[in-house]
Amino acid sequence: MKTHITWLALLALVLTLGFGACDSKNKDESAAADVGYTVGDLFVAADIAEKEPVGISEHFFADTEKLYCFSEILGAKEDVVIKHRWFHGAEMVSEVALNIRGSKWRTWSSKTIGPGMTGDWRVQVTSEDGKVLKETSFVIGQ
């Protein structure tokens, strides 16, 4: 009887997590539908060379001095503005507005990393009015 209850509890947990992931995806798709364009590629990288990210990773050394967030915007039918919001832990440390001028547009922002700014980071791509369209996470020095 105890094994049966354990399996039921595990099944309930899996179903709950699975539906939560679907809800998150649907929210991203809904936000993209609201603004009329989507975010394709989204990477954090050590550099940008010839309009492409170089040194893409989710983990960077503690002595990293600068990082780049590269994003590709797809389907914009008119000029729009997106934002890259850089977070160190829970604190937003930078917000960069970027002009999008085409239906397939690559753009990037950079963040200077100061001493002691190790730990968990994330970058959100938002519409001009703040709707989160996509997010990526990375770690510095851990």
Side-chain angles (χ1 to χ4, degrees):
M1 181 67 140
K2 196 174 191 178
T3 303
H4 182 68
I5 293 171
T6 303
W7 280 107
L8 286 175
L10 181 60
L11 178 60
L13 177 64
V14 168
L15 289 174
T16 300
L17 291 174
F19 286 128
C22 290
D23 287 347
S24 174
K25 183 178 180 186
N26 289 339
K27 287 177 189 172
D28 288 346
E29 289 173 0
S30 175
D34 288 346
V35 297
Y37 54 88
T38 60
V39 180
D41 290 336
L42 177 62
F43 302 114
V44 175
D47 201 0
I48 300 289
E50 298 182 23
K51 299 182 181 181
E52 292 292 336
V54 176
I56 296 168
S57 185
E58 293 177 1
H59 296 90
F60 297 92
F61 293 113
D63 62 352
T64 298
E65 295 180 359
K66 190 173 195 177
L67 289 173
Y68 297 82
C69 179
F70 173 93
S71 58
E72 176 186 50
I73 306 303
L74 304 169
K77 296 186 182 357
E78 57 187 37
D79 291 358
V80 296
V81 173
I82 64 162
K83 295 179 182 178
H84 284 178
R85 292 181 175 169
W86 293 77
F87 290 84
H88 181 216
E91 179 184 359
M92 184 170 58
V93 295
S94 181
E95 182 178 74
V96 181
L98 301 160
N99 294 312
I100 307 302
R101 295 192 175 105
S103 64
K104 185 174 181 185
W105 198 264
R106 297 175 295 173
T107 190
W108 57 89
S109 65
S110 65
K111 176 70 182 109
T112 301
I113 310 299
M117 295 183 82
T118 58
D120 295 330
W121 285 77
R122 63 191 165 100
V123 180
Q124 291 178 338
V125 178
T126 72
S127 61
E128 188 170 20
D129 65 357
K131 289 181 182 143
V132 177
L133 305 173
K134 197 165 186 178
E135 182 174 292
T136 188
S137 301
F138 61 100
V139 176
I140 298 177
Q142 293 183 341

